[in-house]
């Protein structure tokens, strides 16, 4: 970063932004982390044009050549791990373990994962045609080939400026695409460090471009540019809808990971210790700023009181404070505005009749955007706190009686990203999981298999990524047919 501020990365060059710079603030201290560049519409279009120019040569490189760049990028991130993690922590307010492991560590792991070359074509069994278009019978051979989509705009979320961008950039590049990355305005500096690592690893000019800014027109230009073939977006459902409308006009491909309101269905025979620990990650993991969080707990009546009591104790024991202290479990949320939004939902819950059994008050710190882990009991599924994504350390608990009612409540939502089931009856857990309208279901766990497809039903998104599914997402399938 220069003394004046970070530069844009366009066409292999570090470029001064037309719109000047804006302040990036540490959510824990409210001090300045650095100065991020504000791109103009023309500069965004220039980045898209650079990606278009680079696409032809890059798409013709071999998978092994592309894999070498990705592998070297992972190595460079590892070599610069400490300063990268410190920056990620300063930008996001993440705890030290999260910044090091789940942010920079997972980011590097994703580059390593997509440095693994996989087959991009496969034979289709020959078909005997009794009469083809030419009126002659014959045997037809066929081959299915995965081709790159082209130029991909990657619009990334603020909650993880390493794992989320890497999960888009790495598979897109592995398939031969070029990218224009528009990072979240709250914490874009880490994404520029990722671009530095890619440049040092040998990514050719224009293959990766990064343009940032707070203005809406920056994202709009990155979506609407005629040089862009696909948009990969992680963020709110409302913004995703606007992007999808813009993509639809030009038939651009899209991959949308949007909001969530994950249901955690806890049956009477569940291991409560496991359920409490899993649900409790909503309080601690990214301070609840994660779309996969089990924020809507559906507790069967026989276990409801005990679950609420144990969750309240769990929430009360979590240390909220300076994320750089080893004992801290819950750091700040990303901004003062977001803190106010989360607090407003808690107040709305009170007015709707929910009972605040833990948290609900702002932690007593002079600096930092802190929200106490908050548990709302006696909720109903039609309350706003149960229907809308809060994106903070807030859990609401809703009672139910029979299995069918629990399933119906879980599915009665606009969202469908990841749900959870806790039960000692494995057969029932799998039975219920198959009936939940969500892209993923965790049984007795909030853990994930990083080769399993990830994405949502309903308003939680379009498409799937992670593992080999990401390679599918960033490619088109082409059929090549010939007479046998």
């Amino acid at each position: 970063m220069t003394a004046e501020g970070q530069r844009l990365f366009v066409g292999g060059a570090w470029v001064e932004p037309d719109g000047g710079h804006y302040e990036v603030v540490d959510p824990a201290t409210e001090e300045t982390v650095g100065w991020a560049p504000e791109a103009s519409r023309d500069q965004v279009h220039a980045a898209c044009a650079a990606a278009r120019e680079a696409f032809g040569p890059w798409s013709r490189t071999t998978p092994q050549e592309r894999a070498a760049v990705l592998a070297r990028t992972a190595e460079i991130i590892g070599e610069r791990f400490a300063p990268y993690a410190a920056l990620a922590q300063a930008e996001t307010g993440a705890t030290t373990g999260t910044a090091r492991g789940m942010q920079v560590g997972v980011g590097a792991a994703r580059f390593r994962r997509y440095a693994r070359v996989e087959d991009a074509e496969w034979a289709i069994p020959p078909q005997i045609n009794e009469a083809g278009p030419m009126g002659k019978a014959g045997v037809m051979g066929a081959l299915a080939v995965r081709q790159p989509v082209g130029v991909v705009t990657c619009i990334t979320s603020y909650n993880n400026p390493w794992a989320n961008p890497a999960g888009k950039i790495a598979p897109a590049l592995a398939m031969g695409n070029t990218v224009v990355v528009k990072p979240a305005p709250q914490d874009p500096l880490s994404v520029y460090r990722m671009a530095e690592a890619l440049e040092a690893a040998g990514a050719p000019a224009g293959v990766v471009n990064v343009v940032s800014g707070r203005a809406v027109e920056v994202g709009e230009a990155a979506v609407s540019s005629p040089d862009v073939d696909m948009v990969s977006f992680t963020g709110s459902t409302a913004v995703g809808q606007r992007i999808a409308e813009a993509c639809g006009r030009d038939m651009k491909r899209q991959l949308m990971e949007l909001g969530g309101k994950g249901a955690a269905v806890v049956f009477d025979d569940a291991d409560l210790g496991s359920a409490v620990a899993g649900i409790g990650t909503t309080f601690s993991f990214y301070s609840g700023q994660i779309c996969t969080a089990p924020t809507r707990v559906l507790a069967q009546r026989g276990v409801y009181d005990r679950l609420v009591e144990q969750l309240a104790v769990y929430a009360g024991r979590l240390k909220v404070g300076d994320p750089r202290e080893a004992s801290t479990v819950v750091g700040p949320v990303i901004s003062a505005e977001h803190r106010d939004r989360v607090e407003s939902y808690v107040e709305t819950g009170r007015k709707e009749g929910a009972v605040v059994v833990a948290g609900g008050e702002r932690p007593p710190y002079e600096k930092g955007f802190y929200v106490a882990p908050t548990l709302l009991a006696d909720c109903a599924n039609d309350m706003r706190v149960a229907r809308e994504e809060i994106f903070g350390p807030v859990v609401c608990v809703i009672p139910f009686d029979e299995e069918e009612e629990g399933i119906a409540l879980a599915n009665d939502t606009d969202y469908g990203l990841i749900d959870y089931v806790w039960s000692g009856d494995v057969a029932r857990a799998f039975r219920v999981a198959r009936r939940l309208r969500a892209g993923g279901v965790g049984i007795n766990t909030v853990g994930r298999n990083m080769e399993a497809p990830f994405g949502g039903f309903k308003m939680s998104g379009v498409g799937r990524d992670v593992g080999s599914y990401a390679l599918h997402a960033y490619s088109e399938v082409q059929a090549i047919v010939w007479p046998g």
Side-chain angles (χ1 to χ4, degrees), residues 259-263 265 296 298 406-421 429-442 455-461 464:
K261 194 68 180 177
V265 186
R296 188 169 53 108
L298 308 175
I407 294 170
L409 287 170
N411 289 334
D412 182 17
T413 175
D414 293 333
Y415 297 104
L417 190 55
I418 295 186
D419 287 343
Y420 305 88
V421 179
F430 275 89
R431 180 176 69 242
V432 171
R434 291 178 182 277
R435 293 185 59 191
L436 296 179
R437 300 293 296 164
V441 180
F457 288 10
K458 298 185 280 189
M459 300 298 282
S460 285
R464 296 293 182 271

Side-chain angles (χ1 to χ4, degrees), residues 264 272-288 293-295 297 307 310-311 314-315 318 329-330 373 375 393-395 422 446:
L272 282 193
S274 172
V276 169
I279 295 163
T281 60
T282 302
F283 302 134
S284 57
F285 195 47
Y286 296 137
S287 301
T295 60
V297 178
L307 183 62
Q310 291 184 32
L311 280 170
Y314 186 97
L318 300 176
V329 180
V330 183
L375 181 66
V394 181
V395 171
W422 269 275
V446 292

Side-chain angles (χ1 to χ4, degrees), residues 250-310:
D250 297 320
M251 295 303 290
K252 293 179 179 178
R253 300 294 179 263
Q254 55 186 283
L255 177 63
M256 298 279 176
E257 184 208 326
L258 307 178
K261 194 68 180 177
V265 186
V266 184
F267 288 99
D268 287 345
D269 60 355
D271 178 339
L272 282 193
S274 172
V276 169
I279 295 163
T281 60
T282 302
F283 302 134
S284 57
F285 195 47
Y286 296 137
S287 301
Q289 299 168 114
I290 183 166
C291 52
T292 58
T295 60
R296 188 169 53 108
V297 178
L298 308 175
Q300 199 165 19
R301 194 78 60 176
V303 78
Y304 177 86
D305 289 337
R306 284 185 293 144
L307 183 62
V308 169
E309 180 182 359
Q310 291 184 32

